[in-house]
Structure formats: C-alpha cells, structure tokens
Amino acid sequence: MPVSLEQLNSASSDDFVAALATVFEHSPWVAAAVAPGRPFVSLASLYSAMSAAVRSASSAKRLELINCHPDLAGKAARASVLTIESKYEQGSAGLDRLSDTEYDLFQRLNGAYRQKFGIPFIICVRRHTKDSILRQFELRLKHTAEAEHETAINEILRISGLRLDQHVVAPDRLPVSGQLTTHVLNNHDGCPAEGMALTLFELGGDGTRRVITEAVTNHEGRTETPLISARPLPIGRYELRFEVGRYYADHGTPTADPPFLQSVPIEFSVAEPERHYHVPLLVTPWSFATYRGS
Amino acid sequence: MPVSLEQLNSASSDDFVAALATVFEHSPWVAAAVAPGRPFVSLASLYSAMSAAVRSASSAKRLELINCHPDLAGKAARASVLTIESKYEQGSAGLDRLSDTEYDLFQRLNGAYRQKFGIPFIICVRRHTKDSILRQFELRLKHTAEAEHETAINEILRISGLRLDQHVVAPDRLPVSGQLTTHVLNNHDGCPAEGMALTLFELGGDGTRRVITEAVTNHEGRTETPLISARPLPIGRYELRFEVGRYYADHGTPTADPPFLQSVPIEFSVAEPERHYHVPLLVTPWSFATYRGS
Amino acid sequence: MPVSLEQLNSASSDDFVAALATVFEHSPWVAAAVAPGRPFVSLASLYSAMSAAVRSASSAKRLELINCHPDLAGKAARASVLTIESKYEQGSAGLDRLSDTEYDLFQRLNGAYRQKFGIPFIICVRRHTKDSILRQFELRLKHTAEAEHETAINEILRISGLRLDQHVVAPDRLPVSGQLTTHVLNNHDGCPAEGMALTLFELGGDGTRRVITEAVTNHEGRTETPLISARPLPIGRYELRFEVGRYYADHGTPTADPPFLQSVPIEFSVAEPERHYHVPLLVTPWSFATYRGS
Amino acid sequence: MPVSLEQLNSASSDDFVAALATVFEHSPWVAAAVAPGRPFVSLASLYSAMSAAVRSASSAKRLELINCHPDLAGKAARASVLTIESKYEQGSAGLDRLSDTEYDLFQRLNGAYRQKFGIPFIICVRRHTKDSILRQFELRLKHTAEAEHETAINEILRISGLRLDQHVVAPDRLPVSGQLTTHVLNNHDGCPAEGMALTLFELGGDGTRRVITEAVTNHEGRTETPLISARPLPIGRYELRFEVGRYYADHGTPTADPPFLQSVPIEFSVAEPERHYHVPLLVTPWSFATYRGS
C-alpha cells in the first residue's frame, strides 16, 4: 500500500521505519538511520539520504545487508519463502518460470558465485531479461571479491530506488524508469500510418520469442500508450514487428502479390534501462527505415 | 548433356527430335512439329516455334500433353518413376522431402484438383516455393475447368522454356531467370561495408526457416556472386539477415553494450521470378534502411 | 484589444456589434444578425452563426459585402486608407513592400479581375505567399463569375475566421492555424542533434529567398518553439537549411575535408495552411533523409 | 596527338624525349633521364620512373623545374603565352574567365606567395575548383618554404601524371581520375525512376552557381554516362538538383498542390578527386534520402 512523502515526514519514527521496512531487504536499520533527518523535501532527497546511510555503514553492516538477499531463482523462490518484493522482481524477468535445465544452471552459477565471493549474487532484476542476467553472471564471476562487494551494494541501491519510487507517492519521481515508444509514418502517402498492427517480442538467446505487448497505431501513427513505460527497460534483445502488408492492403495501395513487405521485423537491443528508446518505422510498400530516436 | 543450337540446326530430323525429347514431358511430337522450320537463328525463335506448335495443336492433343505430366509430389515421386527433369524440378521446391503430413496434404489437393478438372495440377515448380505452390493450389481449385486447361498449357510452356534454356547452348538466353542481389553501405563512415556476414533464408508459412546461402560482403559492400541467379526466383518469403553488430565491433566503432543493432533481419517477398530484386542495406550502428532496388 | 467570449455574451447588443465590427470588413450587419442568438457556448458556434448569416443573406447583401473589400496591394494600400486589419493581413504576405514592377502587375491583375467579374479579387492573404497569390490570380481569372462570387464569399469567411480567432478569447480555438516543426536526429551517434543551427527561408518564384526564422536545436534535437505556429502556414515554397558540417566539426566527428555534407538544404512546399508540417532531418556526416511527418 | 606506349618503347631516344616533351613543363630532361630504362611494361612503370628521376634530381634541378611553371591566372594567361597544356588546365577551373576583382586577388596571392617562398604557386588545377584553389592559397601561405618546395614537386608530379595519362595510349591507366554518378529509386512504386531530369551545379563560395551538366535518368534510374568521369573530380561544393515534382506529375501519382517535393537539391562536397562518388536519391512524393555511395 503506497504511502505519501507527507505521511512519512509527519509519522512517528517507528511508523516511518515500518512504512519503509521493505525498501531494503530485511534491513529496517537503513530507514531508522535517516528518520532523524526528516522532513525530506523530495523523494530524491530521501533516497539520497538512505543511499548515504548504506554507503557510510561499517563494512560488516554492509556485508550483513548483502547477505540478507536471497539467491536468484534459488530454492527460496521454489519454496516461496521470498519477500513479496523479491518474488515480484524475480517474476518480472521470468525467473519464476524456469525450466528444470535453467533452474539447474542458475543453481550452479549461484553456487560458483557464492563459493568464489562468499556472498549471494545480487542484481537489480527489473533492469534485465533472463539472458542479460546470465550474461552478468558470467561477467561478474571473473571479477575480484572487492569489486563484487562494491557491485552488490550498487545493485542493492538500484533495487531500493525502484522499490522506493513505487512505494512512496511524492511530487517528484526517481529517475529509475525508461520508455519504449514507436511511430509509423506512411511515406507512400505522406501521413501517419493509422491502424497498423504491431507486436513487441522479447528475444531469448536460445531462439525463444515472448510477446511483451500488442498494439494498433492511432491517427497519429503512434500507440495509445508507450510499449513499455513506468519501469526500467529490461536490458536485452527485442523484436518489434509491424504488419505493413495488411495495412497497405486495407488502404487499397497497389503492391505486388505477394506484397514485397508483409510483416516487417525490427530487431534491436536495449542497453540503457532508464532511457527513452524511440524506434519508429518510415515505410512504403517497397522500402522502410528505422533508427534509434528519443 | 547440353546441345548447341548449331548442332540442332544441322542434325537429322530424328536426331533433332531426340535431342529435344525431354523439353516437353513425354511429348516428342512438339519437337517433330518444328523440325522442318529449321534453321532457327536464336533460342528465342526455337522456343517461339515450339510454343506456337503447342498452342495450335488440337484440343485433344493439348489435353494429352497435359495428361503426360505427373502429380505434384505424388506417388510417382515417392516411387521414383518421374522423368529426370520432373524429379529435379520437384526437388528444387523441396517436394521430394515432404513430411508425411505434407505428403498427405498434397495427395488430397491432387485428388481434389483431378476430380474437379480431370487433369493433373501442373505448375512450373522452379518458379515457386512449397508455400506458394500450396497457395496456387488453393487459388486454382476455385477456377473453371476452361481457365485451368489454359493455365496448365501456360505452365507447361514455362516449364519447357526453362528446360530449353538449360539444355541448349545458344548466343541468346530465354528471359526465364531472375536475380537476387544485395549491397551494404556503411553510412556511419561513408563507405561500402566490407566483410559483413549475411545469410539468406527461405521462410515457410509454418514458421520454418531454411538457409539458402551465406556470404560475406567484399570491398564494394557486395557479395561476390548474386544471392540467387541463373534460375527463376522462387515466389515466396525470404529473410536476409546481416551481422551488423559484429561488423561494427570488428571496426572498433563505438556503440552500446549490447549494441542497438546486432543481427538485422530484412523480411521480403518475391512476386516476379524473372526480375532482378536488389535488397540493399544502408546502415549505421543506430539506424538502417532498405528498399526494393533493381 | 481582445475581448472574451463571456464579455460578448453578456454585452448589450450594441456593444456586441461594436466589439465584432472589424470581423467582417465594413459590415457590422453580420454581427447584428447573430446578436439575438447569444449566448454562444464556444467560438466555433459564434463563427458558425456568423457564417450562416452571411450565406443566408440576400445575394445583393452578399455582393455588397464583397464590394466592401479593398483591392489587393492596390492604391488604397499605398495611400494607407485600408482598415487596420486589411493592412496587417496584406503586410503578412509582403504586399506592402512590392517593387514598382510587382505593383504594376498587381494593378493589371486587379483591373482584369474587376473587369471580368465586377468585384474585387478577394483572397485570405494570410494563407498565402506572394507567389501563391499570383498563382491564384491566374487560376481564378479563368473561372466563371458565378464560381468567383462563391469563392469570394468563402475567402471572406476564411478572413473572418482568422480575425475572430485572434480577436476573441475563448476556451476553444478555431481550426485556422497550422504549424511547421522540425527535429534533427544524429544517426551517427544514435542521439538527438543538439546545437545544430538552421534557417527557414521562403523561396520566391523569381529565385529570391527571404529568411523567415533562424534557430538552434535543443537537447531533444528540436527547436524551442515551432518554426511557424499560431497562424496559417502560407501556401508556398520553403527551404529549411541545416548546418550539418559545423555541427559535426563541433563534435569532433571525423569527416572529409571539406566535409561531404556542409550546409544541407531541404526544399518543400506547403499546400495545406491549417495542417501540421513536420520536416525532420535524419543525418550522419555521409547521409541524410527527410519526410513529411506530422 | 596521342602516342602509344609501344611507339615510345621502340622510338629513338630523341623521338622518345620529343614525344614526352610536354609532360613536364619546359623540362625535357625528365624524359631524357628515363629513356635508357626502356622498354616500360606499363604506363605506371613509365610514370614511376619519371617521378623517381624528378625526386632524385639535385635540389637545384628541382628548383629549376618548379620555376619553369607560370603563375596561376597570371599575366601569362592574359597574354596567352602559356603552354597549351597549362592553358587547358587553367581553363578547366575557370581561371581563364576571372572577373577583374578575381584577377587582382590572384595577382596579390601570387605576389605574396612568390615573395614568401621565392617560387611560383604550383597546384594541379584540374583537381580543384576556383574556390578550393583560393583556399589552398590561403593554407599554403602559412607553411614553411621547405614544406612548400616539397608540395610544389608533389603537385608537379600530379600534373605530369594527368598529362601522361591523357597523352599516352597504354593497356593500363594511371589512377588519376574520379567519377561522379547518381541513381534515382522511386520508393513509391518500387522501381527505378525513369525520365527524371536532373542538373549538376558547381557552387561558388560567393553564392554563384554554374551548370556542369544536365541529364535525364534512363530505364535503370541512372544517367547514360557518369555526371563527371575520365578526369579528377574538382575539390569543391556541388548541388545535384532533381525534378521530382515533374516526374511524379508525369506519372499521375497523387500529391498535394503544390507538391510537397518539387525540385529537390542535394548539396555535397568532393574532397577526394580520384575516387568514385555515388550520390543516389531514394524518393517518394513525401520523402527522400541520399548518401555517399561508391
């Protein structure tokens, strides 16, 4: 249940800590540390204070914070003993619907990571697809323990930023969300393409495709709502597929039989989860172009 | 074994007919009909004479010619009693490697067609993919018997044109072949993209993909040889996939991690088998465009 | 001095007529005709009532209304006896700064038109450039008197719509304005082009160029305000010129010497004054593209 | 009158020197130096030998060679006492039709250069436009005398290479020529744009425009011959203007009135005279794109 920044500022210290208990996994001490600093004028200043409290804590305290986190896609997930927040986050990348082979792979990686660094592998799951998590696992297994302790804290702060942004109603928002939008221009007729069906897929490294969303363009050639918004864009590969052939057939535009362009896929990757990716389509029955816009 | 136009012109009438025996399926009478018209100054005039002989034959004769053709992907194919030419042609569209389900489908369609029109379904297989053959089956089953007799003769003449063009060495060629080419321009650096790997796939209606050819662009950004040439382009759907990410990584061009564009697919369809399709890629690490060129 | 719709609705009949006196040239009777219809819930309904009053007036009355209008760029303009509204409107298309040759041309055309049709040539000047006015003169001189009487009324209603929209403050606006915008995307680096200088010119048929506005793109690659807005886009030819070479030089992007692209002109025409024209530039040091967007 | 490499190889030493007398301005000693090295298997090896003879000559000899060259656009040009070769070359960049102001400017620059370096300003004129010659003048005036003596020899060798390539008939050609081509693709209809008129202009820094060539595209959307070929492309600024509006009007393609695109200019610069510049146009009535191709 969301709470307002105003309520947080005027609450008793205990209520304040209780209200923010879930922001740092099993670690109410972070909220307690910043409670005396109230009132906070913005969500950004509250988040900044909490981040400072974590960074300035003793290394033992920071290690304890790290160890409060569950394994990724681990036994806890299968046994359903995760915090609600962890459960929701791991589900966002599909870690709650792994095949047995994938589950075993994650267990091996968790084990190898814990054995090398003595801590659980922590990553802000909502910024990733399953594929990019696996890639991070492989990259980070090559690092030093010191670097990984630092990375673990950074990822915890990202996780907390997202939880805070979602949990607290405030005039400002934390810069934790990205946006994916598109726009279809019909260059054959010099107008926005209205009524073109499109589908966004997430592409897995193993050739799998998962529908993220389907939409039809409006009179401006845009979708009514962004394809992804109000959350980080998961790092990974995507396909945006436009039903160009059907659109021109519906408009009676002369083409070939079968039309040169029918279903037009655009494959692209997201690398910056907090940015705006605009992936437009400029199209005629015989040509198309796209680019990373913003 | 190819024969030259010169040899055909100077051969005895019997040898001439024998040399062209395979051009019209089991129907040496067509060659016999044009033998007195020799010498032919070009392959085009020979083909024109043979076409005229067929078109001016009695309707009984034409029906006999039609009935000399085997069923598509039929029992004859499985039993290997096709003429070598038919066997080769049906193989070109993959009709010799049908699954049992597909085989049954073709049998049903063959049966329905034969029952409605009293003749085998004839189509110039080398101008089609398996998918477009099935589509033609469905379309043509809706026609009248009169229209289908006419279509059967037209398709026979297409088949013969291809056989003649392949079998006879002459100064001219029949206009029976198309061409598929590509060209990659690196608009980031203002030069042809040399060394970009690409793959051409044929796409099946059922989601299958079959590699047609693989190539790497040369210093002009082109492939050393056309992607398809010296034959009709089979009507159907294709994907041309360019390894853009690897190319820019090899050139040390700064991009994102993962790069916005990695493997770039272009999906398009061929509708005119005897034409030149040029499908270029204009590309930067952040944008691309394509069009039907020629 | 603007007046609010509210004030108009609550004013005495005389004050209402006085406040709208200038909407129809020397013709307060139009306002008088609609005064009893108050209150008007929107500017659109007021305009609609005034239009209906004109269209349903006797043909003598309509002719009188037509004859209340001055000649275009005529003696009245030179002698400064135009209404303030006419003066402002004729100035918008440069009719107040004609060369002697142009002045003579307009006099000849005015004379020819008046002689053929018995009425002054009326055109909603703010929807046109000087060139398109001359083109309309030539076209309309070929019409019938009946068609031109009809056209004169239509143009008067356009003029009045613009005057009303500018003069009355209301919650709604009349659909009398267009917009010209641009957007520069740097496809070399996958980001908006910030800090690119650009100039919009109006092009005359005689090879003249007149600067309409200059701007520099902001961090979104857009101009802070539309290139043209809050008025109809004058029908005519334009050049939008982008200083691409300087932009890439400022960014240290390697190019040739001299750079392949330095100052990039886009020439286009406006045909629909009340629409949104978006003319973007997708650019690298070696390529560019544009299209009519919206 | 051209001479063949064969003739040069079999001529007497005196005839050989006489035949190549004009290759190095007033300096038959270069030809004499390489005569004993015959036979030359290629034009490239002959040119290479002559270049080596110049580079290995004493510095006094090289200075003498430099001083054999006339001033650019100087009194000699006005008095018509240039060698035929110099006259032709200076004419190619318009140096024979300077206004008095330009003539004075060249005289001042010639004087300043000669005063600073003690030698005439030498530049391979056929690789430049008048504007780029002036720019080189300004740049080179800032150099050291040593650098300019070196540059003078390099430019002399470029001049000689061009003269040799033009004068001697051989199986090989020297790499002294560039090429400018275009190609118009009609993306509205998926075909080459046949019958589109286009004009190539050279743009002067002072706003002048000079027509270089006019052409109409053929059935492949190309011009019958390259826009420039068989010579270096002069370094400078160009405009290629395509009559898009007329083309689509001729084809009955629906557009606006006036059409959004009428006469489409592409402005670009040449920096590498010996390269192939391909400047295509991909166009619909509502969009266009271009790029540096090759």
Side-chain angles (χ1 to χ4, degrees):
Chain A
M1 210 174 57
V3 60
S4 74
L5 185 59
E6 220 165 47
Q7 289 173 311
L8 288 176
N9 276 331
S10 60
S12 72
S13 192
D14 280 0
D15 286 354
F16 175 81
V17 172
L20 298 182
T22 56
V23 172
F24 285 86
E25 192 87 357
H26 300 305
S27 304
W29 62 265
V30 185
V34 306
R38 291 178 296 163
F40 294 104
V41 298
S42 63
L43 197 55
S45 61
L46 169 56
Y47 177 63
S48 174
M50 294 181 98
S51 300
V54 168
R55 290 202 187 280
S56 64
S58 69
S59 63
K61 200 84 184 156
R62 290 206 307 277
L63 185 57
E64 189 191 304
L65 173 60
I66 291 172
N67 280 317
C68 285
H69 286 76
D71 278 346
L72 258 197
K75 282 181 206 150
R78 290 231 159 165
S80 287
V81 299
L82 294 179
T83 62
I84 290 175
E85 288 71 24
S86 281
K87 191 173 161 59
Y88 169 68
E89 289 156 3
Q90 298 206 9
S92 85
L95 302 188
D96 57 348
R97 9 171 233 281
L98 297 179
S99 68
D100 283 351
T101 315
E102 289 173 326
Y103 179 77
D104 290 347
L105 174 57
F106 269 95
Q107 293 324 91
R108 269 204 311 284
L109 289 167
N110 277 326
Y113 188 91
R114 200 178 267 280
Q115 178 161 8
K116 178 160 182 193
F117 301 120
I119 53 173
F121 176 75
I122 302 179
I123 189 165
C124 179
V125 169
R126 280 173 59 74
R127 300 177 75 247
H128 291 273
T129 54
K130 192 165 61 185
D131 274 4
S132 67
I133 290 170
L134 287 172
R135 197 162 156 251
Q136 287 300 311
F137 241 135
E138 279 161 27
L139 283 174
R140 287 171 57 185
L141 269 166
K142 297 176 191 152
H143 294 170
T144 63
E146 195 183 0
E148 278 306 301
H149 277 74
E150 177 66 18
T151 299
I153 291 296
N154 288 339
E155 293 292 318
I156 286 170
L157 291 176
R158 281 176 161 160
I159 294 167
S160 308
L162 275 164
R163 290 180 179 179
L164 199 62
D165 189 63
Q166 223 155 9
H167 188 54
V168 180
V169 177
D172 64 323
R173 312 285 344 138
L174 297 182
V176 292
S177 293
Q179 209 174 12
L180 175 63
T181 54
T182 190
H183 190 189
V184 188
L185 268 299
N186 171 359
N187 283 346
H188 182 274
D189 301 300
C191 60
E194 180 179 0
M196 189 180 290
L198 55 90
T199 309
L200 176 69
F201 299 91
E202 179 188 320
L203 301 182
D206 51 358
T208 54
R209 298 152 55 89
R210 191 166 68 85
V211 173
I212 306 286
T213 189
E214 294 178 292
V216 173
T217 53
N218 63 17
H219 72 286
E220 287 183 328
R222 303 181 193 272
T223 57
E224 280 305 325
T225 55
L227 298 170
I228 303 179
S229 66
R231 59 156 297 162
L233 303 184
I235 294 170
R237 280 202 314 131
Y238 297 86
E239 178 187 298
L240 196 46
R241 185 171 279 273
F242 300 87
E243 301 309 324
V244 170
R246 209 189 311 155
Y247 168 82
Y248 280 116
D250 288 350
H251 284 68
T253 306
T255 62
D257 178 24
F260 183 63
L261 298 179
Q262 303 193 72
S263 181
V264 168
I266 307 286
E267 272 190 37
F268 64 95
S269 293
V270 164
E272 302 173 289
E274 288 81 21
R275 299 290 289 274
H276 182 182
Y277 280 70
H278 184 61
V279 182
L281 184 74
L282 313 178
V283 70
T284 79
W286 307 98
S287 66
F288 69 91
T290 191
Y291 57 89
R292 179 175 172 189
S294 64
Chain B
M1 211 173 57
V3 61
S4 74
L5 185 60
E6 222 165 46
Q7 289 173 310
L8 288 176
N9 276 330
S10 60
S12 72
S13 193
D14 281 1
D15 286 353
F16 174 81
V17 172
L20 298 182
T22 57
V23 171
F24 286 85
E25 193 87 357
H26 301 304
S27 304
W29 63 266
V30 185
V34 306
R38 289 178 299 163
F40 293 104
V41 297
S42 63
L43 197 53
S45 61
L46 170 55
Y47 177 62
S48 173
M50 294 180 97
S51 301
V54 169
R55 291 203 187 278
S56 64
S58 68
S59 61
K61 201 83 183 155
R62 288 207 308 277
L63 184 58
E64 186 192 307
L65 173 60
I66 290 171
N67 280 316
C68 285
H69 286 77
D71 278 346
L72 258 196
K75 282 180 205 150
R78 290 231 158 163
S80 288
V81 297
L82 294 179
T83 62
I84 291 176
E85 287 70 24
S86 281
K87 190 174 162 59
Y88 169 69
E89 289 156 3
Q90 298 207 9
S92 86
L95 301 188
D96 56 348
R97 6 171 236 284
L98 297 179
S99 68
D100 283 351
T101 314
E102 290 172 325
Y103 179 78
D104 289 346
L105 173 57
F106 270 94
Q107 293 323 93
R108 268 203 312 282
L109 289 166
N110 277 326
Y113 188 91
R114 199 178 267 280
Q115 177 161 8
K116 175 159 186 194
F117 302 119
I119 54 173
F121 177 75
I122 302 180
I123 190 167
C124 179
V125 168
R126 280 172 61 73
R127 300 178 75 247
H128 291 273
T129 55
K130 192 166 58 188
D131 274 4
S132 66
I133 290 170
L134 287 172
R135 195 161 158 253
Q136 286 302 311
F137 242 135
E138 280 162 28
L139 284 174
R140 288 171 55 184
L141 268 166
K142 298 177 190 152
H143 294 172
T144 62
E146 194 182 2
E148 277 307 299
H149 277 74
E150 177 66 18
T151 298
I153 292 295
N154 288 339
E155 292 292 317
I156 286 170
L157 291 176
R158 282 175 161 160
I159 295 167
S160 307
L162 275 164
R163 290 180 179 178
L164 199 64
D165 189 63
Q166 224 156 7
H167 187 56
V168 180
V169 177
D172 64 323
R173 312 283 346 137
L174 297 182
V176 292
S177 293
Q179 209 174 12
L180 175 63
T181 55
T182 190
H183 190 190
V184 189
L185 269 299
N186 171 359
N187 282 347
H188 182 274
D189 302 300
C191 60
E194 181 179 359
M196 189 179 290
L198 56 91
T199 309
L200 176 69
F201 298 90
E202 180 188 320
L203 301 182
D206 51 358
T208 54
R209 298 150 54 88
R210 192 167 67 86
V211 173
I212 306 286
T213 188
E214 294 178 292
V216 173
T217 53
N218 63 16
H219 71 286
E220 287 183 329
R222 302 180 194 272
T223 57
E224 281 305 325
T225 55
L227 297 170
I228 303 179
S229 66
R231 60 157 294 164
L233 303 183
I235 293 169
R237 280 203 314 131
Y238 297 86
E239 177 187 300
L240 197 46
R241 184 171 280 271
F242 300 87
E243 301 308 324
V244 170
R246 209 190 308 154
Y247 168 83
Y248 280 116
D250 288 351
H251 284 70
T253 305
T255 61
D257 178 24
F260 182 64
L261 298 180
Q262 303 194 74
S263 181
V264 168
I266 306 287
E267 273 191 36
F268 64 95
S269 293
V270 163
E272 301 173 290
E274 289 81 20
R275 299 291 288 274
H276 182 182
Y277 280 70
H278 183 61
V279 182
L281 184 74
L282 314 177
V283 70
T284 78
W286 307 98
S287 66
F288 69 91
T290 190
Y291 56 91
R292 177 171 176 194
S294 63
Chain C
M1 211 173 56
V3 60
S4 74
L5 185 61
E6 221 164 46
Q7 289 173 311
L8 289 176
N9 276 330
S10 60
S12 71
S13 193
D14 282 0
D15 286 353
F16 174 81
V17 172
L20 298 182
T22 56
V23 171
F24 285 85
E25 193 87 357
H26 301 307
S27 305
W29 63 266
V30 185
V34 306
R38 291 179 297 163
F40 293 104
V41 297
S42 64
L43 197 53
S45 61
L46 169 56
Y47 177 63
S48 174
M50 294 181 97
S51 301
V54 169
R55 291 203 187 278
S56 63
S58 68
S59 61
K61 201 83 182 155
R62 288 207 308 275
L63 185 57
E64 189 192 304
L65 173 60
I66 290 172
N67 280 316
C68 285
H69 286 76
D71 277 348
L72 257 196
K75 281 180 205 149
R78 289 231 160 164
S80 289
V81 297
L82 293 179
T83 60
I84 291 177
E85 286 71 24
S86 280
K87 191 174 162 58
Y88 169 69
E89 288 156 3
Q90 297 206 10
S92 85
L95 301 188
D96 56 349
R97 3 171 239 283
L98 297 179
S99 67
D100 284 350
T101 315
E102 290 173 324
Y103 179 78
D104 290 347
L105 174 57
F106 269 94
Q107 293 323 93
R108 268 203 313 281
L109 290 166
N110 276 326
Y113 188 91
R114 200 178 266 281
Q115 179 161 7
K116 177 159 184 196
F117 302 119
I119 53 173
F121 177 75
I122 302 180
I123 190 167
C124 179
V125 169
R126 281 173 59 73
R127 300 176 76 248
H128 291 274
T129 55
K130 192 165 58 187
D131 275 5
S132 68
I133 290 170
L134 287 171
R135 196 161 157 253
Q136 286 302 311
F137 242 137
E138 281 161 26
L139 283 174
R140 289 172 52 185
L141 269 166
K142 297 175 190 153
H143 294 170
T144 63
E146 194 183 2
E148 279 307 300
H149 277 73
E150 176 67 18
T151 299
I153 292 295
N154 288 339
E155 292 293 318
I156 286 170
L157 291 177
R158 280 174 163 162
I159 294 168
S160 307
L162 275 164
R163 290 180 180 178
L164 200 63
D165 188 63
Q166 224 155 7
H167 187 56
V168 180
V169 177
D172 64 323
R173 312 287 341 141
L174 297 182
V176 293
S177 293
Q179 208 175 12
L180 175 62
T181 54
T182 189
H183 191 190
V184 189
L185 269 298
N186 172 359
N187 282 347
H188 182 274
D189 301 300
C191 60
E194 180 178 0
M196 189 179 290
L198 55 91
T199 309
L200 176 69
F201 299 91
E202 180 188 319
L203 301 182
D206 51 357
T208 55
R209 297 150 56 88
R210 192 166 67 85
V211 172
I212 306 286
T213 189
E214 295 178 292
V216 173
T217 52
N218 62 18
H219 71 286
E220 285 184 329
R222 304 181 192 272
T223 57
E224 280 304 327
T225 55
L227 298 170
I228 302 179
S229 66
R231 60 157 294 162
L233 302 183
I235 293 170
R237 278 202 316 130
Y238 297 87
E239 176 188 299
L240 196 46
R241 184 171 281 272
F242 299 87
E243 302 308 323
V244 170
R246 206 190 310 153
Y247 168 83
Y248 280 117
D250 289 351
H251 284 68
T253 306
T255 60
D257 178 24
F260 182 64
L261 297 179
Q262 302 194 73
S263 181
V264 169
I266 306 287
E267 273 190 37
F268 65 94
S269 293
V270 164
E272 301 173 289
E274 289 81 18
R275 299 290 289 274
H276 183 182
Y277 280 69
H278 184 61
V279 182
L281 184 73
L282 314 178
V283 69
T284 79
W286 307 98
S287 66
F288 70 92
T290 191
Y291 57 89
R292 177 171 176 195
S294 64
Chain D
M1 211 175 54
V3 60
S4 75
L5 185 61
E6 220 164 47
Q7 288 172 312
L8 288 175
N9 276 332
S10 60
S12 72
S13 192
D14 281 1
D15 286 354
F16 175 80
V17 171
L20 298 181
T22 56
V23 173
F24 285 86
E25 192 87 356
H26 301 305
S27 304
W29 62 265
V30 184
V34 306
R38 292 179 295 164
F40 293 104
V41 297
S42 64
L43 197 54
S45 61
L46 170 56
Y47 177 62
S48 174
M50 294 181 98
S51 300
V54 169
R55 292 205 186 278
S56 65
S58 68
S59 61
K61 201 83 184 157
R62 289 206 307 275
L63 185 57
E64 189 192 304
L65 173 60
I66 289 171
N67 280 316
C68 284
H69 286 76
D71 278 347
L72 257 197
K75 283 181 205 150
R78 290 230 159 164
S80 288
V81 298
L82 294 179
T83 61
I84 290 175
E85 287 71 24
S86 281
K87 190 173 162 59
Y88 169 68
E89 289 156 2
Q90 298 205 9
S92 85
L95 301 188
D96 56 349
R97 4 171 239 282
L98 297 179
S99 68
D100 284 351
T101 314
E102 290 173 325
Y103 179 77
D104 290 348
L105 173 58
F106 269 95
Q107 293 324 91
R108 269 203 311 282
L109 289 167
N110 277 326
Y113 188 92
R114 199 177 268 280
Q115 180 161 6
K116 176 159 184 195
F117 302 120
I119 54 173
F121 177 75
I122 303 179
I123 189 167
C124 179
V125 168
R126 280 172 60 73
R127 300 178 75 248
H128 291 272
T129 55
K130 192 165 60 186
D131 274 5
S132 67
I133 290 170
L134 287 171
R135 197 162 157 250
Q136 286 300 311
F137 242 135
E138 281 161 27
L139 283 174
R140 288 172 53 185
L141 268 165
K142 296 176 190 154
H143 294 172
T144 64
E146 195 183 0
E148 278 307 300
H149 277 74
E150 177 65 18
T151 299
I153 291 295
N154 287 340
E155 292 292 317
I156 286 170
L157 292 176
R158 280 176 162 160
I159 295 167
S160 308
L162 275 164
R163 290 180 179 179
L164 200 63
D165 188 62
Q166 222 154 12
H167 188 54
V168 180
V169 176
D172 64 323
R173 313 283 345 138
L174 296 182
V176 292
S177 293
Q179 209 174 13
L180 175 63
T181 54
T182 190
H183 191 189
V184 189
L185 267 298
N186 171 0
N187 283 347
H188 182 274
D189 301 300
C191 60
E194 180 178 1
M196 190 180 289
L198 55 91
T199 310
L200 176 69
F201 299 91
E202 180 188 319
L203 301 182
D206 51 358
T208 54
R209 297 151 56 89
R210 191 167 67 85
V211 172
I212 306 286
T213 190
E214 295 178 291
V216 173
T217 53
N218 63 18
H219 71 286
E220 287 183 328
R222 304 181 191 272
T223 57
E224 279 304 325
T225 56
L227 298 170
I228 303 179
S229 65
R231 58 156 298 163
L233 303 184
I235 294 170
R237 280 204 313 132
Y238 298 86
E239 178 187 299
L240 196 45
R241 184 171 281 272
F242 300 87
E243 301 309 325
V244 170
R246 208 189 310 155
Y247 168 82
Y248 280 116
D250 288 351
H251 284 68
T253 306
T255 61
D257 178 24
F260 182 64
L261 298 179
Q262 303 193 71
S263 181
V264 168
I266 306 287
E267 273 191 37
F268 65 94
S269 293
V270 164
E272 302 173 289
E274 289 82 19
R275 299 290 288 275
H276 183 183
Y277 280 70
H278 183 62
V279 182
L281 184 73
L282 313 178
V283 70
T284 79
W286 306 99
S287 65
F288 70 92
T290 191
Y291 56 89
R292 178 174 174 192
S294 64

